[in-house]
């Protein structure tokens, strides 16, 4: 069953009451979040998604925000950008942890089909063997659940293992197969193979900043993969650990990212904080009904984006692009998400006061958008 079915109006009618319900649930179950809402004077009724109070994603770096008792926490995901940064901490109970892979699979089923496909991974097997699992490793491991007969394109030394890829294609090259990798690694390594990958479906994310440094845009990325590898079924995605399990998937025509039925985006004018109309860039706010164990259902990121159209693409709803990071935003990459031990409470003093929540300066806005520079959405 597809999760790309709701028009913009249908999505609004469906999500607004559900997200409002989650807001009230988290208000009462997560005392720091409740104090934030009280401090900014936010109260219902919320009739539209854009009226819901948002949290800057960076709050998950500085405060412990969970809506379940500590003893019910099943897993804590952490993510930070570079060494020395305080990590975000996302608290999951068993129900929330089970929903993530299920909804990720439902989202990708739209382009992969119902069956698990043979899988080429543009990485080295050592990335999933590390004692401490990085975001890159977590992303690979999560995606491996969607494939079978996993073959790694790189050997343990990071060099292309052309013989392994040729053997994979000999077994599976006559039918559809899945290719997954982070964007920059795909660009570096797939093209040098010189092999026919035309039956493959590429799912990629992260690493656009490095490609931007090489002046490689999305159109050239897709065009060169098509001409040099035969790859025409190519899908980027955008997601973040703070809304784990929710990804925004690029349509088959490469005309933008689309929202699954349980999620949406709001582009906010950074001067007025009002919703920007299509065609006007602003800060990306992401909403999702998946975060039930922590108040991550309405998050303001530090990514700039723009809605290109509404109900005018391959799938219904908003069609948008990520334009890049907000200037001065904290860098974050795909190499630093891991499952952390439970416990280790963080200070919630500022959350209790509700400091700088509704009117952040540029450096205080939400941080999310791992997929622009790396994600562990899986």
């Amino acid at each position: 069953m597809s999760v790309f079915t709701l028009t913009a109006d249908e999505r609004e009618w469906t999500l607004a009451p559900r997200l409002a319900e989650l807001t009230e649930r988290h208000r009462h179950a997560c005392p720091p979040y409740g104090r934030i809402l009280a401090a900014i004077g936010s109260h219902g009724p919320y009739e539209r998604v854009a009226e819901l109070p948002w949290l800057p994603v960076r709050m998950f770096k500085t405060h412990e925000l969970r809506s379940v008792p500590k003893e019910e926490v099943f897993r804590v995901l952490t993510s930070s950008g570079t060494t020395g940064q305080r990590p975000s901490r996302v608290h999951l109970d068993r129900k929330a942890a089970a929903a993530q892979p299920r909804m990720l699979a439902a989202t990708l089923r739209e382009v992969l089909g119902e069956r698990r496909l043979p899988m080429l991974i543009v990485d080295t097997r050592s990335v999933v063997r590390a004692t401490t699992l990085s975001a890159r490793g977590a992303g690979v491991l999560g995606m491996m659940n969607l494939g079978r007969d996993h073959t790694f394109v790189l050997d343990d030394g990071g060099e292309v293992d052309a013989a392994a890829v040729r053997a994979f294609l000999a077994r599976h090259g006559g039918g559809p197969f899945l290719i997954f990798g982070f964007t920059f690694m795909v660009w570096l390594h797939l093209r040098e193979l010189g092999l026919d990958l035309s039956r493959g479906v590429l799912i990629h994310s992260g690493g656009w900043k490095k490609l931007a440094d090489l002046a490689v845009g999305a159109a050239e990325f897709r065009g060169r993969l098509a001409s040099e590898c035969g790859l025409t079924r190519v899908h980027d995605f955008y997601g973040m650990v703070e809304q784990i399990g929710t990804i925004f998937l690029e349509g088959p025509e490469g005309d933008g990212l689309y929202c699954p039925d349980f999620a949406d985006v709001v582009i906010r004018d950074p001067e007025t904080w009002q919703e920007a109309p299509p065609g006007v860039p602003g800060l990306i706010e992401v909403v999702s009904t998946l975060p039930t164990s922590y108040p991550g259902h309405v998050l303001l990121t530090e990514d700039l984006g723009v809605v290109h159209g509404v109900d005018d693409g391959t799938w219904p709803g908003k069609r948008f692009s990520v334009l890049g990071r907000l200037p001065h935003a904290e860098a974050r990459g795909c190499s630093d998400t891991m499952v952390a031990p439970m416990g280790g409470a963080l200070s919630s003093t500022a959350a209790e006061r509700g400091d700088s929540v509704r009117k952040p300066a540029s450096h205080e806005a939400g941080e999310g958008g791992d997929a622009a520079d790396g994600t562990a959405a899986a």
Side-chain angles (χ1 to χ4, degrees):
M1 182 177 178
S2 176
V3 295
F4 292 94
T5 66
L6 297 180
T7 66
D9 286 343
E10 292 167 341
R11 190 183 308 267
E12 182 75 28
W13 302 332
T14 301
L15 292 185
R18 176 61 178 138
L19 291 168
E21 177 186 331
L22 278 174
T23 298
E24 297 309 312
R25 171 180 172 176
H26 293 310
R27 183 197 301 270
H28 297 293
C30 179
Y33 180 70
R35 287 189 284 269
I36 290 170
L37 297 190
I40 63 177
S42 179
H43 51 78
Y46 306 108
E47 296 182 356
R48 298 183 59 248
V49 169
E51 295 175 2
L52 291 157
W54 41 260
L55 278 184
V57 180
R58 186 170 295 199
M59 295 290 286
F60 289 90
K61 283 184 171 291
T62 55
H63 307 88
E64 182 171 312
L65 299 170
R66 56 180 168 81
S67 301
V68 294
K70 184 170 291 188
E71 60 270 19
E72 293 183 16
V73 174
F74 173 67
R75 181 174 298 148
V76 179
L77 299 181
T78 70
S79 173
S80 65
T82 58
T83 302
Q85 294 178 5
R86 178 177 290 183
S88 294
R89 293 173 63 87
V90 177
H91 295 76
L92 306 175
D93 61 7
R94 288 184 178 274
K95 180 180 178 182
Q100 298 160 16
R102 185 173 67 250
M103 299 315 294
L104 174 65
T107 303
L108 290 173
R109 196 174 294 131
E110 189 72 25
V111 296
L112 298 179
E114 295 290 336
R115 295 184 298 113
R116 292 172 65 193
L117 299 178
M119 186 174 183
L120 267 182
I121 301 165
V122 189
D123 215 314
T124 172
R125 187 177 294 276
S126 60
V127 77
V128 297
R129 289 175 173 166
T131 303
T132 300
L133 197 61
S134 68
R136 178 171 144 197
V140 171
L141 200 59
M143 287 295 298
M144 286 175 68
N145 292 326
L146 305 178
R148 60 181 176 85
D149 192 14
H150 308 103
T151 298
F152 288 81
V153 172
L154 307 182
D155 61 25
D156 285 342
E159 300 296 323
V160 171
D161 188 346
V165 178
R166 289 192 183 94
F168 174 90
L169 292 175
R171 297 191 302 272
H172 304 297
F177 57 91
L178 168 61
I179 308 172
F180 173 73
F182 292 99
T183 305
F184 186 64
M185 298 182 71
V186 168
W187 177 257
L188 282 183
H189 300 300
L190 275 194
R191 295 179 304 123
E192 71 178 82
L193 282 169
L195 299 174
D196 180 10
L197 304 176
S198 58
R199 300 300 300 272
V201 182
L202 172 64
I203 305 294
H204 69 100
S205 187
W208 279 111
K209 183 179 183 301
K210 291 182 179 180
L211 285 186
D213 292 342
L214 298 176
V216 176
E220 182 177 359
F221 180 85
R222 294 173 68 94
R224 292 280 293 276
L225 287 177
S227 63
E228 297 179 32
C229 307
L231 266 175
T232 57
R233 299 178 64 187
V234 175
H235 300 272
D236 190 8
F237 69 84
Y238 174 67
M240 61 204 68
V241 71
E242 293 86 358
Q243 277 190 359
I244 190 77
T246 301
I247 63 169
F248 301 89
L249 186 63
E250 185 179 30
E253 304 301 322
D255 57 352
L257 299 161
Y258 290 81
C259 310
D261 290 346
F262 53 89
D264 205 355
V265 294
V266 176
I267 305 299
R268 291 201 178 271
D269 184 314
E271 298 293 332
T272 67
W273 301 111
Q274 299 301 307
E275 184 173 9
V280 177
L283 280 172
I284 299 175
E285 174 187 306
V286 291
V287 306
S288 170
T289 61
L290 292 191
T292 56
S293 60
Y294 64 98
H297 58 306
V298 185
L299 300 177
L300 187 72
T301 76
E302 286 182 351
D303 293 321
L304 296 170
V306 62
V307 171
H308 299 297
V310 180
D311 296 332
D312 66 346
T314 304
W315 301 322
K318 294 173 183 173
R319 181 171 56 84
F320 74 101
S321 290
V322 179
L323 302 177
R325 302 285 291 161
L326 187 70
H328 310 302
E330 201 172 302
R332 66 192 280 175
C334 64
S335 60
D336 39 41
T337 291
M338 64 201 77
V339 177
M342 292 190 297
L346 303 176
S347 168
S348 61
T349 304
E352 293 172 2
R353 294 197 308 261
D355 287 355
S356 303
V357 177
R358 285 300 288 179
K359 297 182 179 179
S362 62
H363 64 284
E364 295 170 325
E367 160 182 344
D370 278 306
D373 295 299
T375 187

